[in-house]
Structure formats: C-alpha cells, structure tokens
Amino acid sequence: MYHFARSTNSFYVDCFINLRDSAVNIISRLESIVGRKNVSIEQADLENFGLDRTSVYCSNPRVIVFPTSIDQIQEVIYLANDLEVPIVPSGGRTGLSGGAVASNSEIVLSMNKMNSILDVNLNDRTVTVEAGATTQEVQEEAYKNGLFYPVNFASVGSSQIGGNVATNAGGVNVIKYGMTRDWVSGITAVTGSGELLVLNKSLIKNNTGYDFRHLFIGSEGTLGIICQVTLKLTEPPPPSSVFILGVSKFKDLLEVLKIFQSKLSLQAFEFFCDHALEKVIEVHGHSKPFVTYAPFYALIDFENQDNTSQDEALKLYSECVDKKLVLDGVMSESIAQSRNMWKLREDISETLWHYQPYKNDLSVRISKMPNFLDEIDSFIKKSYPNFEVIWYGHIGDGNLHLNILKPDELNKSEFKSRCDDISINLGKLVESFDGSISAEHGVGLLKRNYLKFSKSSGEINLMAEVKKVFDPKGILNPGKLL
Ligand code: MLT
Ligand code: ZN
C-alpha cells in the first residue's frame, strides 16, 4: 500500500520526496482521466467525503474524484491498481456502519456526477439509472410513469441507488416488498481489477449459473464499483391508513401483528419504545399520539382500498383491547394525519444523533424477538445501569434497532470502548439466537469484528477468497466488511 514517510533521516527523506512526487502524480493523473474540475483536494471536501453518518470515525482521504462515465471509472481503477492506492466508493454517505469512511489517505470515488435516469421501460416495468441517482429520484420517476419503487426509508432524499444496492438497503416496507435485493434486475459494475461486468442484463428468467448480481448486492464496495442499476417497478399501492397502538409488553406486539396480519394487507409494522417517543417529541415538537402511557408502541400501515379496511382495523383493534393486548390507540383519518403519525417513527434516527448513539442493527426470526430483546435489556441493565437504551425498528421483518446513548460522564472514546465490549456480548447472544449482527445497515467498519457471530469461519474465508477474485490487489474499500 501507499504511504507517506514522516521521518527525516536521509533514506526516508528520499523516500518522502519520491512519494510526494507520486502524490502530485496521483492528482495530475486523476485530473487527466476525469478533468481538473472533477478532482478535489479542497479541505471542506476532504472533511466531508471521508464520512458517512457514523459519528465515531475521522475523515482523512487523499483526494476526491468525481467520474462522469464508466470509462473514467475503469481508468481510475487501473490507476489505483498501478499505484496501489485504495479507493473508497462513495454514494449518498447516509450509511450507519462506516462503509463509506475514508480515514487512511484513500481516493474517494464519488458517484455524485453520475446520477442520470437512463431509461424507463413500461413493458419491462423497469427503470435504469446511474448509481448516483437518489432513491427519491427513482421513486419520483416511477411515480411519474404510473409505477412504484417500494424500497423506502427516512434518508431517501440523499441516499443513492448505488449505495442502496451495495448495502442491500431495507427500510420500512420490507414486510410487504422485501429488501433492495428483491428489486434489482441488472447491475453494470467495474471490478477491482477494472473489468466491466454487465450482470443479468435485466432479465427475469436467466438460469445460466452463478448470478454475480447477487454477490454485488450487499458487497459494500469491496468487489467493484456499481455504475448503473436496473430496478424493477410495480403498480402503486392502494391508499393506506395508519394505526398507532400502545402495549405494555413487547411480546404483545407479536400477538397484535398476528391479529392485524390475518385480516389486512400491511405495508409496515414498526415499533418504538417510550424513550424514543419522548425524545422525538422533545426534539421535534410533535404531538403525542394519545395521552395513555405505554412502554412500547406499534405503527401499523395498512392498505385501505375502499375504506372498508378501516372498519376491519377498528374491529381488530377492539379484539386486541378485549384480549388486553393493547392499552390505547389512534387511527388516521386523512393523509395529513398519516404523515404526522409516521413522523413519530421516521424522525427517531435523526433525533438520536443529538445524543451520540452507539447503533446496533440486529435481526432474529420474528418469533424470537421478545426473548432476544428481554435478554439484551437485562444484560445492559445489569452491567451498564447508567446507559440509556432506546429500542425501535421493524417488527414485521425481525429487525431491532438498539441504540445506546452516551452518558455525559464518559468521553467519546471511553463510551465507544464500553460499547465495543457490549457488542461482543450482543454478538454471542445473536449467535445463540441464530440471528444477524447487521439486518439492513451493513457491516462496514463498525460491525466487522462481530461478523464471526453471524457467519461461520468457513463462510468468512470464502468471502475473503471471493474478494480476491474480484479485487486481487485489495484496492477497493479495504478494511470494510472483512
Ligand atoms: C431506521 O429504521 O430508522 C433506520 O434504519 C435508521 C436507524 O436505524 O437509525
Ligand atoms: Zn431501520
């Protein structure tokens, strides 16, 4: 790998001069590939482009490059191989696991200038975009054409499709529509050795052996640069209504899910705890859904084609109250009310940044969630009584977000090191529940040391071998995932 030597003895001075020449060389060679205006070493860019939304890392890239074509991406990759300088692929940098962090003098390859919608095909029901298009732009393009792209989460305005694919983004509608993986029908990517791959050619049926498209989905920028993506679209859903219910025990949420799922088509079944609600209200000034206190809340978004579903939902609500599963509840009667109710859930993540959270994105089978949550809660209460724990997430797909807030008396690094200890215990628990240490945020830097709790050493070794095939010199996103 490429280093700057810092010593002043003569050997290193020579070395330094050579390397400094190379540094100038890198910038000028990048400029000759993408043009001067598409290379930046501006301080503000160096500070921004090395970070995603994890708060625990420092930004220290060498240079930011903004290619405008696949050819340029290939050339940048050849150059990086030649000089053995690592590249960090960069999308909207909304990730929560440090997958887009550049803190070791890397080249950040930003897809910001490759963001065109290339094609909408109404026969195929697909949209083809450059990887830098935002999730929201794709959603809007689908909508304009009478279709729907269903992967949805709070950061759609800035997250980019390439990043969504690289992390197999999930979100709030997975219960109904699945993850990003379920919507990708084609990928054009350049591997770590510079080879151009056109994967699956957007076919529906294609039984021709290994489907590398699926290797790239969730590869976190370690195998290649995703340049273009073809996404499947579907018909827009019918209008929906929203219920917020309060329950006294987490396990009751599963009973409520069963009851609502038996009669209604659910687009989302989310949850949050009392502390999450308090904090969202405190930071954003939203109104409480109802006055009754509840330790846990469910947000249920159900399809309501002809308004009969609302009557059905009210009956199901009464059934839940009769069975003493639900303490109180409220149902939306307009789109505006639904939106306001959703804010109580969607604004949690952003709200918690004010409290420097240590984030965990865990999953187990839905049926195992209550025991899993109870065990984690009692472990943290016993071992770290001063730590405030905030729970929220996606009950409908077994995904629990555990956020631990930094107490004032600990500095950032003391807090991180205690949380790393907690993560080892969490990892062991995840393993014993056959769960995953990352449900939808990816592994990146933050969860890399805990991968062994979700994957066997055999699998991890194979992953490392696969990485070598696509990226023999290890220039792509080194240190992430593996
Ligand atoms: C969410 O469910 O709100 C997102 O995954 C973000 C987060 O976990 O903070
Ligand atoms: Zn989530």
Side-chain angles (χ1 to χ4, degrees), residues 196-355:
L196 181 66
L197 299 177
V198 182
L199 302 172
N200 195 53
K201 304 187 180 87
S202 310
L203 298 169
I204 298 169
K205 289 185 144 183
N206 181 13
N207 277 356
T208 51
Y210 309 137
D211 189 344
F212 292 147
R213 165 185 49 154
H214 286 294
L215 265 186
F216 273 76
I217 301 169
S219 62
E220 302 190 25
T222 61
L223 303 180
I225 306 286
I226 294 170
C227 305
Q228 292 177 4
V229 180
T230 301
L231 296 161
K232 296 181 239 176
L233 303 175
T234 186
E235 61 274 3
S240 69
S241 297
V242 173
F243 232 122
I244 292 187
L245 307 171
V247 301
S248 56
K249 287 185 244 71
F250 181 83
K251 76 175 172 40
D252 293 341
L253 290 174
L254 263 65
E255 289 306 310
V256 176
L257 171 66
K258 244 192 307 187
I259 290 170
F260 272 78
Q261 224 168 10
S262 68
K263 294 274 167 47
L264 295 173
S265 173
L266 306 186
Q267 292 193 18
F269 193 106
E270 301 281 297
F271 91 104
F272 42 91
C273 71
D274 49 353
H275 300 296
L277 180 64
E278 272 161 31
K279 296 218 154 28
V280 165
I281 290 174
E282 193 180 305
V283 171
H284 287 275
H286 300 325
S287 312
K288 270 184 131 184
F290 39 77
V291 284
T292 314
Y293 165 77
F296 293 103
Y297 298 82
L299 183 152
I300 309 170
D301 193 307
F302 60 95
E303 290 181 1
N304 185 28
Q305 184 78 67
D306 45 15
N307 286 332
T308 55
S309 304
Q310 283 198 334
D311 297 339
E312 187 64 60
L314 287 170
K315 277 193 219 145
L316 297 173
Y317 169 71
S318 302
E319 184 185 334
C320 291
V321 173
D322 291 346
K323 290 184 171 162
K324 305 220 172 333
L325 294 168
V326 163
L327 301 169
D328 206 343
V330 58
M331 187 175 71
S332 65
E333 286 182 272
S334 66
I335 294 174
Q337 281 179 3
S338 295
R339 285 212 184 106
N340 285 337
M341 286 158 80
W342 259 112
K343 281 187 189 149
L344 296 174
R345 164 64 186 93
E346 282 190 327
D347 287 348
I348 295 172
S349 186
E350 186 269 326
T351 296
L352 294 187
W353 290 114
H354 300 272
Y355 301 87

Side-chain angles (χ1 to χ4, degrees), residues 96 270 345-346 349 359 392-394 401 403 440-441:
L96 297 166
E270 301 281 297
R345 164 64 186 93
E346 282 190 327
S349 186
K359 299 184 82 68
Y392 57 98
H394 319 280
H401 295 309
N403 284 243
E440 60 171 1
H441 295 171

Side-chain angles (χ1 to χ4, degrees), residues 36-106:
R36 227 179 166 156
K37 66 179 193 312
N38 293 324
V39 175
S40 175
I41 47 167
E42 293 287 327
Q43 195 51 34
D45 286 340
L46 296 176
E47 280 166 20
N48 280 328
F49 278 86
L51 292 182
D52 61 7
R53 290 208 181 147
T54 40
S55 52
V56 288
Y57 301 106
C58 297
S59 181
N60 183 32
R62 176 187 305 263
V63 53
I64 323 298
V65 59
F66 301 91
T68 55
S69 71
I70 294 177
D71 287 349
Q72 291 182 358
I73 291 176
Q74 266 181 307
E75 290 300 320
V76 172
I77 288 186
Y78 291 140
L79 176 66
N81 272 284
D82 194 21
L83 300 175
E84 299 196 2
V85 184
I87 293 180
V88 174
S90 182
R93 291 177 293 107
T94 55
L96 297 166
S97 299
V101 166
S103 46
N104 285 313
S105 272
E106 303 93 333

